[in-house]
């Protein structure tokens, strides 16, 4: 086997660059103590991260649960529950050496048996995206309590990037083995290995996480508590930040037009870092199974009808980018020659006439993630009605939205998904036919099935030659661009606003989702 010693060198260089680029105050010695008061919008439907994949759940519970690795903003792997790892020369065997002193929040020891159970049993059943990744795995073995060996069926270059906390969170075997995973009482009091423990949840008000006193990384975490405040109104959240009630505002906390004002306040800082792993990508699910949306010409008409530049410039305050197709433009595998659909209402009407669209109503389900998303739903409805599409809006809360999407009970529905740095991790899941299954809002919800697309994604995932891999991804992007299984509406920018006396908040490619382990507050600040 070849030890990944080069990882240490790359990480050292990356750390040096971060240090040089950081403000002087970020180089001060971290101080223990203090409380983070963070906005969370909308309220998560649950905190059992291995079961619930909503963005708010990941944001909170990523600090309760952990995976084997973390990733820096260049997507290089860093140790977490695994303190070191090796990859065989043939790319088939991944050996992880676990940190020996880890305990679950209930005091039980974390061992390799938990890793095998989490990956080979729990997540294969509960997480469609993770299940697709694990399809490449032949076996998972634990030769001793501190060693786990993943043996792949064939090389899978992206596998080393799959150990992010939202993708492969570890689950306590002693609590979940042999139980109904979805109805286990522990789901109401999640138990992880992370730097913070679940304390209490006052529904509709606040989620409290407390410092893990037995955390295995010496001296961490620095903060005593994290309070996640549920404040439904964006204006009220902005006011809470202005008056000092909140000191951290994650992406989506306020209306976009308020971002410049809050970021420019005295003592306020802002960063767009922390989304490098996710590449958040907004789309409209289009039901490919029945109704007008089952016709490719209707789906193409939707693309031509959408004024996506208006949405970016007005609704998103100039943040983000209009996509040309299904791959985020920041991905190395993006086809730069792909021509984006222009805003062309006449072309949309032409396609609707060609298919003989008779005005059959289509149901539009907005995303209940705040005012900007509500206004975006109104704008999309107006765009579609302008070309003659009869739209009925069906509003819902987060739980209702999850249920409707999981049950395929929609015609057109807003969503945004993470692309996880590589098509085989975060994009293929949306389009391959083997990932069509009721019960999840994060798989092939639209019901798109194309054998050629399945073949291209499957072959590209295991292709080690970069040029051959790129040729396959170029071809699949062209096919999807023509078939329009979904409407691609925005590459989202997601800035975080925070008080400048909060340091080391964003230290990985997933930002706040695992950032509070390193965060600390200057005790002389106004928000300590």
């Amino acid at each position: 086997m070849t030890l990944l010693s080069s990882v240490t060198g790359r990480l050292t260089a990356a750390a040096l660059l971060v240090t040089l680029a950081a403000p002087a105050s970020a180089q001060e010695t971290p101080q223990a103590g203090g409380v983070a008061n963070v906005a969370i919008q909308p309220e998560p439907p649950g905190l059992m991260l291995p079961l619930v994949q909503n963005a708010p759940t990941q944001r909170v519970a990523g600090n309760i649960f952990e995976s084997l690795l973390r990733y820096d903003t260049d997507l290089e792997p860093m140790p977490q529950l695994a303190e070191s790892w090796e990859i065989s020369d043939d790319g088939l065997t991944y050996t992880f050496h676990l940190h020996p002193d880890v305990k679950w929040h209930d005091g039980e020891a974390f061992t390799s048996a938990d890793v095998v159970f989490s990956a080979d049993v729990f997540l294969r059943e509960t997480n469609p995206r993770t299940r697709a990744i694990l399809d490449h795995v032949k076996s998972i073995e634990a030769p001793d309590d501190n060693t786990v060996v993943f043996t792949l069926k064939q090389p899978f270059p992206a596998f080393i990037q799959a150990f992010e906390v939202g993708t492969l969170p570890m689950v306590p075997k002693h609590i979940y083995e042999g139980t109904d995973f979805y109805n286990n009482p522990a789901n109401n009091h999640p138990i992880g290995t992370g730097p913070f423990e679940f304390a209490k949840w006052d529904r509709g008000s606040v989620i409290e996480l407390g410092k893990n006193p037995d955390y295995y990384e010496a001296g961490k975490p620095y903060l005593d508590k994290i309070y996640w405040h549920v404040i439904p109104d964006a204006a009220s959240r902005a006011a809470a930040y202005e008056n000092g009630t909140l000191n951290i505002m994650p992406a989506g906390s306020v209306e976009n037009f308020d971002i410049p004002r809050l970021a420019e306040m005295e003592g306020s800082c802002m960063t767009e870092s922390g989304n490098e792993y996710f590449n958040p990508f907004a789309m409209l699910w289009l039901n490919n199974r029945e109704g007008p949306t089952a016709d490719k010409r209707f789906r193409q008409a939707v693309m031509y009808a959408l004024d996506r530049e208006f949405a970016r410039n007005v609704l998103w305050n100039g943040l983000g980018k209009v996509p040309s197709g299904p791959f985020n433009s920041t991905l190395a595998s993006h086809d730069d020659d792909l021509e984006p659909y222009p805003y062309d209402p006449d072309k949309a009407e032409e396609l609707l006439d060609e298919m003989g669209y008779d005005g059959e109503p289509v149901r539009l389900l907005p995303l209940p993630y705040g005012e900007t998303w509500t206004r975006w739903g109104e704008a999309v409805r107006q765009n579609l009605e302008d070309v003659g599409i009869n739209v009925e809006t069906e509003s819902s809360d987060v739980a209702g939205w999850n249920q409707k999407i999981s049950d395929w009970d929609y015609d057109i529905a807003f969503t945004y998904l993470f692309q996880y740095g590589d098509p085989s991790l975060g994009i293929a899941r949306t389009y391959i036919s083997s990932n069509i299954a009721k019960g999840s809002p994060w798989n092939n919800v639209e019901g798109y099935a194309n054998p050629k697309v399945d073949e291209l994604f499957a072959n590209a995932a295991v292709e080690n030659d970069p040029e051959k891999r790129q040729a396959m991804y170029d071809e699949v992007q062209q096919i999807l661009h023509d078939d329009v299984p979904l409407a691609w509406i925005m590459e989202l920018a997601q800035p975080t606003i925070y008080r400048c006396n909060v340091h080391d908040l964003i230290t990985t490619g997933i930002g706040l989702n695992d950032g509070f382990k390193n965060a600390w507050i200057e005790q002389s600040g106004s928000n300590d």
Side-chain angles (χ1 to χ4, degrees):
M1 293 193 174
T2 302
L3 181 65
L4 290 187
S5 57
S6 61
V7 170
T8 303
R10 291 197 300 271
L11 295 179
T12 301
L16 177 61
L17 288 174
V18 170
T19 301
L20 292 175
S25 58
Q27 300 177 28
E28 297 174 358
T29 302
Q31 301 174 20
V35 174
N37 287 286
V38 195
I40 187 67
Q41 168 61 27
E43 186 170 18
L47 292 179
M48 181 53 187
L49 179 58
L51 293 177
V52 184
Q53 288 289 295
N54 295 72
T57 298
Q58 293 195 53
R59 183 160 287 159
V60 176
N63 295 281
I64 299 172
F65 293 92
E66 293 179 314
S67 188
L68 300 189
L69 303 175
R70 302 169 92 210
Y71 301 88
D72 66 17
T73 53
D74 293 323
L75 304 188
E76 293 288 354
M78 300 187 293
Q80 188 57 68
L81 288 170
E83 58 182 6
S84 63
W85 58 96
E86 302 151 12
I87 303 175
S88 62
D89 291 334
D90 61 7
L92 295 178
T93 306
Y94 290 68
T95 303
F96 293 91
H97 304 283
L98 305 180
H99 197 291
D101 303 318
V102 181
K103 294 185 182 300
W104 293 101
H105 292 158
D106 63 357
E108 293 292 322
F110 167 80
T111 72
S112 57
D114 293 302
V115 181
V116 174
F117 173 76
S118 299
D120 220 14
V121 180
F122 194 101
L123 294 169
R124 281 192 191 272
E125 177 180 330
T126 63
N127 191 318
R129 178 169 56 83
T130 306
R131 181 167 58 244
I133 295 169
L134 294 173
D135 280 344
H136 296 276
V137 177
K138 179 180 178 181
S139 65
I140 308 174
E141 299 172 307
D144 59 56
D145 283 351
N146 293 319
T147 307
V148 182
V149 180
F150 290 79
T151 303
L152 307 189
K153 300 173 184 176
Q154 64 280 310
F156 180 39
F159 190 61
I160 194 61
Q161 291 185 302
F163 294 90
E164 172 264 339
V165 63
T167 304
L168 271 167
M170 294 295 104
V171 181
K173 179 181 179 181
H174 65 281
I175 291 176
Y176 282 92
E177 185 177 33
T179 72
D180 178 349
F181 300 156
Y182 292 93
N183 294 297
N184 191 306
N187 295 343
N188 297 319
H189 191 115
I191 294 173
T193 61
F196 290 90
E197 301 177 344
F198 176 81
K200 65 179 180 179
W201 187 350
D202 294 332
R203 297 277 178 171
S205 178
V206 67
I207 301 168
E208 179 185 337
L209 304 185
K211 178 177 183 175
N212 177 1
D214 299 317
Y215 194 57
Y216 56 96
E217 291 193 30
K220 295 183 181 181
Y222 304 110
L223 299 175
D224 292 329
K225 292 182 181 294
I226 308 172
Y227 290 107
W228 301 86
H229 295 262
V230 180
I231 305 174
D233 179 66
S236 298
R237 291 192 293 274
Y241 181 77
E242 290 177 288
N243 67 28
T245 301
L246 301 176
N247 54 3
I248 299 170
M249 301 289 278
S253 298
V254 296
E255 291 289 351
N256 289 313
F257 53 74
D258 270 338
I259 290 176
R261 178 174 61 84
L262 297 181
E264 292 167 7
M265 287 174 49
E266 183 178 356
S268 190
C269 289
M270 185 181 83
T271 179
E272 292 189 33
S273 184
N275 289 296
E276 294 81 2
Y277 188 88
F278 293 135
N279 306 116
F281 197 88
M283 308 180 295
L284 294 177
W285 293 120
L286 302 174
N287 195 328
N288 286 213
R289 300 174 182 85
E290 59 187 3
T293 51
D295 192 309
K296 179 173 76 172
R297 293 167 295 184
F298 186 93
R299 301 195 299 269
Q300 291 174 336
V302 169
M303 286 299 300
Y304 285 116
L306 297 175
D307 190 347
R308 297 180 295 165
E309 290 290 349
F310 169 84
R312 175 187 179 274
N313 294 331
V314 177
L315 301 177
W316 289 95
N317 202 41
L319 298 168
K321 182 178 180 181
V322 173
S324 58
F327 288 28
N328 193 297
S329 62
T330 62
L331 295 177
S333 51
H334 178 265
D335 182 0
D336 295 333
D337 294 329
L338 207 62
E339 290 292 334
Y341 278 83
Y343 174 52
D344 190 343
D346 291 339
K347 180 64 175 178
E349 292 177 359
E350 178 184 323
L351 287 164
L352 294 172
D353 289 341
E354 180 183 320
M355 67 171 282
Y357 173 65
D358 60 2
E360 179 181 348
V362 294
R363 297 167 299 159
L364 174 66
L365 183 64
L367 189 62
Y369 277 17
E371 288 82 353
T372 297
W373 290 91
T374 298
R375 295 178 185 182
W376 204 357
E378 294 168 353
V380 165
R381 175 173 181 160
Q382 186 63 56
N383 285 162
L384 298 180
E385 289 182 340
D386 285 346
V387 299
I389 297 174
N390 188 4
V391 179
E392 297 176 351
T393 300
E394 295 185 347
S395 299
S396 177
D397 59 13
V398 175
W401 180 91
N402 278 339
Q403 193 65 50
K404 281 182 173 291
I405 300 299
S406 298
D407 292 341
W408 306 340
D409 183 18
Y410 74 95
D411 296 316
I412 302 175
F414 278 83
T415 192
Y416 76 88
L417 298 181
F418 298 150
Q419 299 203 336
Y420 296 100
D422 189 275
S424 59
L425 298 180
I427 299 178
R429 60 176 172 144
T430 304
Y431 302 103
I432 56 175
S433 59
S434 60
N435 217 27
I436 299 174
K438 278 190 175 181
S440 171
W442 315 119
N443 55 15
N444 186 338
V445 168
E446 78 276 15
Y448 175 71
N450 185 320
K452 184 62 176 178
V453 167
D454 290 348
E455 177 186 356
L456 287 166
F457 272 123
N459 291 341
V462 300
E463 178 55 64
N464 279 325
D465 185 307
E467 291 186 4
K468 292 180 180 178
R469 194 171 195 251
Q470 184 60 50
M472 294 176 193
Y473 282 139
D474 286 348
E475 185 175 357
V476 80
Q477 286 174 83
Q478 291 289 345
I479 294 171
L480 294 174
H481 184 270
D482 182 59
D483 284 352
V484 194
L486 310 169
W488 310 289
I489 50 180
M490 194 73 63
E491 298 176 13
L492 297 175
Q494 297 191 320
T496 300
I497 302 171
Y498 59 98
R499 297 291 180 177
C500 297
N501 68 331
V502 180
H503 299 289
D504 297 336
L505 182 63
I506 306 293
T507 57
T508 72
I510 65 172
L512 295 183
N513 290 28
D514 68 355
F516 286 94
K517 176 177 76 170
N518 294 323
W520 60 279
I521 296 176
E522 289 183 39
Q523 297 306 303
S524 59
S526 59
N527 296 299
D528 53 25

